[in-house]
């Protein structure tokens, strides 16, 4: 298959994957919203159930304590006073035995009315009856749902409408009383609790009981179709957005792959075309601000523009050009700095080398470079932590370099592969604290809290410690108090040319 069709297929596949990921995220968000709606509805219903139970105790318990045995004006007055501030009760009746004698609405009845048999009786003798078509004596032609609750000589009528069902988002809900014989419906849609046990899609149903009275429970079903219908406009917008992101991702992937190949060609040609060049960032003594050395930083620029180190360094590894790059760097840097008469003897020059070249024994060739061996500078080779350094070959190569007079430094300590045994077994003499640790100092981030531990290692192994990325006096002060003596960063100077470094030292 040709490369172009491969690239196109990969871009299409990437777009489909992003679209699918968007659908998954949309589903997760929708599921979370359904759960949240159900929990909100459940909390609303249970709040009213508990409040109605409290109100029953608040109204009927004091009435029974009055000890009235017949319905007269005194009894009716007490009942009407109790009902005055009620939120859920719409009527209170007085019973003798199983006969209703009077109510707050109609007063004393001409003929006592038989009590409606309850659905269940609670442990405290409180009986409850759900009546789907209840007719109050004061309004004989008006039918409504009602809950009759009796305690002692009194009963009260609770209207389920007081629960405010219009504020419930879920499509179907039921309030019920759970006992050993089964369940008794109290409000909402009868039979919802039985449907919950049947096959229902995930997240559609919920059953929760009151913490005050665990026998009073709520069952809720919020079907996906109803949730999508309730949020139709948002779902349409979200689907369009997912499709747009998927299409854009596919196009961006196609563009990135083409660009990446183009960048790869530019990097491969860069060494022979002179696109690589090097700048120098001063290293200063934090206590005196005297420039004691510099770090060599690689840069890339060709006729198409600039490529950053975070891009070209991985490509150098990918195309196996690390040693060619290092050789070019050493020869170019030494030629530039040796021409600079202003640089003092033993001026520290730090250059980065690739861990892979250590493992492959390429770094031994540094010992054959006259530019390094005859240099008046103190050469420091910085190596990023890497599993390549665990090999026996790497250990031997580093020992050779150290024996030849090179200083070895662990670069970006703590940010990548870390093997503390390297600090003991390898020939390092310097450790560099990564800029991410320094940036965390003023915000008291997690990485900043590790600096004292790093400094303990520095003291234990008698290392030189350099902190990079210092940008503010506050960072400098904290680092000095931690025991760091050297640093580099924009607070002192950005990377510069060899001529600019010479002028800086003159100042």
């Amino acid at each position: 298959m040709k490369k172009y069709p491969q690239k196109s297929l990969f871009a299409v596949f990437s777009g489909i994957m992003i679209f699918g990921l968007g659908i998954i995220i949309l589903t997760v968000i929708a599921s979370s919203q359904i759960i949240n709606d159900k929990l909100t509805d459940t909390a609303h219903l249970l709040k009213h159930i508990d409040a109605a139970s409290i109100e029953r105790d608040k109204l009927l318990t004091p009435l029974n304590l009055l000890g009235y045995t017949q319905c007269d004006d005194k009894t009716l007055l007490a009942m009407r006073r109790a009902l005055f501030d009620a939120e859920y009760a719409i009527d209170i009746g007085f019973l003798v035995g199983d006969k209703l004698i009077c109510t707050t609405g109609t007063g004393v009845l001409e003929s006592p009315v038989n009590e409606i048999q309850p659905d269940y009786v609670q442990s405290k003798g409180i009986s409850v009856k759900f009546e789907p078509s209840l007719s109050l004596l004061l309004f004989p032609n008006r039918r409504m749902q009602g809950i009759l609750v009796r305690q002692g000589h009194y009963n009260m009528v609770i209207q389920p409408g007081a629960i405010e069902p219009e504020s419930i988002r879920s499509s179907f809900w039921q309030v019920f009383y759970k006992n050993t014989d089964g369940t008794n419906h109290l409000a909402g849609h009868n039979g919802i609790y039985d449907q919950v046990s049947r096959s229902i899609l995930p997240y559609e149903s919920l059953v929760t009981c009151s913490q005050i009275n665990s026998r009073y429970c709520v069952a809720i079903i919020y079907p996906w179709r109803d949730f999508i219908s309730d949020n139709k406009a948002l779902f349409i917008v979200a689907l369009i957005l997912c499709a747009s992101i998927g299409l854009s991702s596919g196009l961006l992937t196609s563009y990135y792959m083409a660009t990446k190949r183009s960048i790869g060609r530019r990097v491969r040609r860069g060494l022979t075309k002179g696109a690589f060049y090097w700048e120098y960032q001063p290293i200063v003594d934090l206590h005196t601000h005297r420039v004691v050395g510099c770090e060599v930083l690689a840069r890339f620029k060709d006729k198409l523009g600039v490529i950053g180190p975070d891009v070209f360094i991985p490509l150098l590894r990918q195309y196996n050009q690390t040693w060619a790059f290092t050789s070019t760097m050493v020869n170019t840097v030494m030629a530039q700095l040796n021409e600079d008469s202003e640089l003092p003897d033993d001026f520290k020059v730090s250059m980065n080398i690739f861990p892979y070249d250590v493992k492959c024994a390429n770094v031994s060739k540094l010992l054959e470079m006259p530019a390094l061996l005859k240099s008046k500078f103190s050469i420091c080779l910085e190596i990023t932590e890497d599993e390549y350094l665990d090999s026996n070959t790497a250990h031997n190569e580093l020992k050779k370099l150290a024996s030849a007079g090179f200083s070895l430094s662990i670069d970006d300590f703590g940010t990548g592969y870390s093997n503390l045994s390297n600090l003991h077994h390898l020939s390092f003499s310097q450790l560099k604290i990564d800029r991410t640790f320094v940036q965390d100092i003023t915000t008291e981030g997690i990485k900043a809290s590790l600096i004292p531990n790093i400094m303990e290692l520095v003291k234990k192994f008698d290392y030189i410690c350099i902190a990079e990325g210092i940008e503010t006096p506050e960072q400098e002060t904290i680092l000095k108090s931690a025991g760091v003596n050297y640093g580099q960063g924009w607070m002192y100077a950005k990377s510069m040319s060899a001529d600019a470094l010479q002028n800086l030292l003159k100042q």
Side-chain angles (χ1 to χ4, degrees):
M1 185 181 288
K2 295 182 179 180
K3 291 184 178 180
Y4 183 78
Q6 284 181 338
K7 179 189 73 174
S8 301
L9 287 176
F10 185 77
V12 170
F13 179 74
S14 299
I16 294 174
M17 289 293 292
I18 295 297
F19 176 75
L21 180 61
I23 295 299
I24 292 174
I25 294 174
L26 178 61
T27 303
V28 171
I29 294 174
S31 302
S32 176
Q33 187 59 48
I34 287 181
I35 293 172
N36 183 67
D37 288 345
K38 289 186 303 181
L39 290 174
T40 301
D41 293 343
T42 300
H44 173 83
L45 292 168
L46 290 176
K47 180 189 74 173
H48 284 289
I49 292 170
D50 294 336
S53 178
I54 293 171
E55 183 174 279
R56 182 269 310 156
D57 184 64
K58 180 180 178 181
L59 298 183
L60 302 188
T61 298
L63 287 174
N64 281 291
L65 291 175
L66 293 175
Y68 297 144
T69 58
Q70 61 181 0
C71 188
D72 52 20
D73 291 341
K74 187 186 300 184
T75 305
L76 285 171
L77 178 61
M79 292 163 57
R80 287 166 181 160
R81 283 177 175 172
L83 186 64
F84 184 77
D85 293 326
E87 181 180 356
Y88 298 93
I90 59 175
D91 199 4
I92 296 178
F94 181 84
L95 299 97
V96 176
D98 59 354
K99 301 291 184 180
L100 180 64
I101 306 301
C102 64
T103 69
T104 56
T106 58
V108 179
L109 305 180
E110 294 181 2
S111 300
V113 176
N114 290 328
E115 178 188 14
I116 301 176
Q117 291 300 310
D119 293 329
Y120 61 91
V121 179
Q122 298 184 31
S123 58
K124 296 181 181 180
I126 300 168
S127 61
V128 181
K129 170 68 177 179
F130 170 74
E131 186 57 53
S133 181
L134 179 66
S135 175
L136 296 180
L137 298 177
L138 189 61
F139 304 102
N141 296 323
R142 182 179 174 183
R143 297 283 177 174
M144 66 176 71
Q145 286 188 353
I147 302 173
L148 293 171
V149 182
R150 179 175 178 177
Q151 179 180 344
H153 283 291
Y154 300 87
N155 72 358
M156 58 186 284
V157 180
I158 299 174
Q159 186 180 9
I163 295 177
E164 303 173 357
E166 66 278 357
S167 62
I168 298 174
R169 293 289 303 274
S170 301
S171 305
F172 307 100
W173 57 274
Q174 180 187 14
V175 177
F176 61 93
Y177 181 84
K178 181 172 60 174
N179 53 40
T180 55
D181 299 329
T183 61
N184 297 102
H185 177 76
L186 294 175
H189 307 86
N190 200 350
I192 294 302
Y193 175 69
D194 296 330
Q195 293 184 31
V196 168
S197 60
R198 301 174 189 171
S199 178
I200 294 178
L201 291 176
Y203 309 112
E204 285 190 340
S205 62
L206 179 66
V207 177
T208 309
C209 297
S210 169
Q211 294 183 353
I212 297 177
N213 189 337
S214 60
R215 291 187 178 274
Y216 285 100
C217 303
V218 171
I220 284 180
I221 297 178
Y222 195 1
W224 276 95
R225 63 178 183 276
D226 293 345
F227 176 79
I228 294 173
S229 178
D230 293 341
N231 301 275
K232 187 183 300 181
L234 289 177
F235 268 92
I236 292 174
V237 171
L239 287 173
I240 293 174
L241 185 61
C242 288
S244 301
I245 293 175
L247 178 60
S248 301
S249 299
L251 294 175
L252 287 173
T253 300
S254 177
Y255 172 77
Y256 173 75
M257 292 180 66
T259 304
K260 183 178 179 181
R261 281 198 292 272
S262 176
I263 291 176
R265 289 195 296 270
R266 291 166 61 190
V267 170
R268 286 198 300 270
R269 293 194 302 262
L271 291 173
T272 57
K273 299 295 183 180
F276 284 98
Y277 64 100
W278 285 267
E279 292 184 345
Y280 308 88
Q281 185 170 39
I283 298 172
V284 303
D285 185 316
L286 298 186
H287 297 279
T288 64
H289 286 188
R290 184 173 64 89
V291 178
V292 297
C294 66
E295 180 182 2
V296 180
L297 300 175
R299 299 291 184 259
F300 182 100
K301 186 176 181 180
D302 61 7
K303 61 182 180 180
L304 296 178
V306 174
I307 300 176
D310 58 326
V311 176
F312 68 69
I313 288 178
L315 289 175
L316 289 171
R317 294 170 181 163
Q318 178 181 338
Y319 297 127
N320 197 26
Q321 289 189 313
T322 55
W323 180 246
F325 170 85
T326 300
S327 299
T328 303
M329 174 186 67
V330 170
N331 289 323
T332 304
V333 168
M334 288 294 99
Q336 290 179 347
L337 297 184
N338 283 329
E339 293 178 359
D340 191 345
S341 60
E342 296 295 329
L343 296 179
D345 294 347
D346 293 329
F347 187 75
K348 182 187 289 291
V349 178
S350 293
M351 292 182 284
N352 289 272
I353 59 175
F354 291 88
Y356 180 76
D357 286 331
V358 178
K359 177 199 173 188
C360 296
N362 286 328
V363 292
S364 292
K365 299 174 184 178
L366 293 172
L367 304 177
E368 303 170 3
M369 291 186 176
L372 284 178
L373 298 178
K374 296 179 181 180
S375 174
K376 66 178 181 177
F377 305 122
S378 174
I379 305 299
C380 178
L381 302 176
E382 298 187 8
I383 310 169
T384 304
E385 299 169 276
D386 195 285
E387 61 267 27
Y388 288 142
L389 301 184
D390 283 342
S391 67
N392 291 329
T393 301
H395 289 204
N396 293 330
E397 291 295 294
L398 294 176
K399 287 179 180 178
K400 291 179 184 177
L401 294 174
S403 299
F406 293 102
S407 299
L408 301 181
S409 173
I410 299 180
D411 192 22
D412 300 336
F413 181 76
T415 60
Y417 172 86
S418 295
N419 185 346
L420 295 180
S421 65
N422 287 335
L423 298 177
H424 180 66
H425 296 297
L426 300 183
S427 304
F428 292 110
S429 59
Q430 178 176 295
L431 183 149
K432 180 172 281 189
I433 299 176
D434 184 67
R435 66 181 63 250
T436 57
F437 289 82
V438 176
Q439 291 168 355
D440 259 10
I441 285 178
T442 54
T443 59
E444 297 183 355
I446 294 177
K447 287 190 173 181
S449 66
L450 298 177
I451 289 181
N453 303 96
I454 295 175
M455 295 310 299
E456 287 183 10
L457 292 174
V458 169
K459 294 176 181 177
K460 179 179 179 180
F461 297 110
D462 193 25
Y463 282 176
I464 296 172
C465 182
I466 299 177
E468 62 180 0
I470 302 175
E471 298 179 0
T472 65
E474 183 180 4
Q475 292 172 342
E476 180 190 66
T477 301
I478 296 173
L479 288 168
K480 285 194 296 185
S481 65
V484 180
N485 292 322
Y486 301 97
Q488 62 188 87
W490 286 5
M491 176 179 169
Y492 313 107
K494 296 183 179 181
S495 60
M496 59 188 70
S497 65
D499 291 337
L501 179 64
Q502 180 179 2
N503 293 330
L504 178 66
L505 288 174
K506 288 181 180 179
Q507 297 172 9

